Amino acid sequence: MDSIDKLLAELQAEFQQKNSEQPKQQPSIATPNIHPQSPKSASLIDKLLEEVKSDFEELDQAEKLRIQQELEQKRIRQEQIKAQRTEALKQHAQDWLAKLDSFSPEGLWFERFAERYSSKLEAAIDYLQANEEG
């Protein structure tokens, strides 16, 4: 909003400068000219300033909408990447389970570990994730 206010002030100063550059008429003694601007020109300035302000507000709204859309697209991309990683990890866990010897020390340990999970696949995914991180 500071830029709008600054632009409005510049426009008003420019308008006042143009008015002061016009040849000045000698005010009559009976009716001194107290107001340098006529009400008509002041209302034109106000109207112009309102239009400029409105234009800037529209631009601000458009920019906010663009940013919001970009954030939404980024969120969707992140969800897609997460889904792909989850699917890849699920496939890795299925492969690992297929190769796991149930009677090996690791296989026996995993059987006990998996008792806390609703499925062996879920346990394998958790186990493999923990091993990748650590």
Side-chain angles (χ1 to χ4, degrees), residues 108-120 123-124:
L108 293 172
W109 173 87
F110 181 74
E111 286 295 324
R112 298 231 19 191
F113 175 78
E115 289 174 357
R116 300 181 297 151
Y117 293 86
S118 60
S119 71
K120 287 185 179 183

Side-chain angles (χ1 to χ4, degrees), residues 84-98:
Q84 289 172 344
R85 286 181 181 161
T86 301
E87 188 58 35
L89 188 57
K90 181 179 176 183
Q91 184 61 46
H92 180 62
Q94 287 172 337
D95 294 344
W96 183 81
L97 281 173

Side-chain angles (χ1 to χ4, degrees), residues 10 44 51 54 105 107:
E10 287 175 10
L44 288 175
E51 287 178 16
S54 175

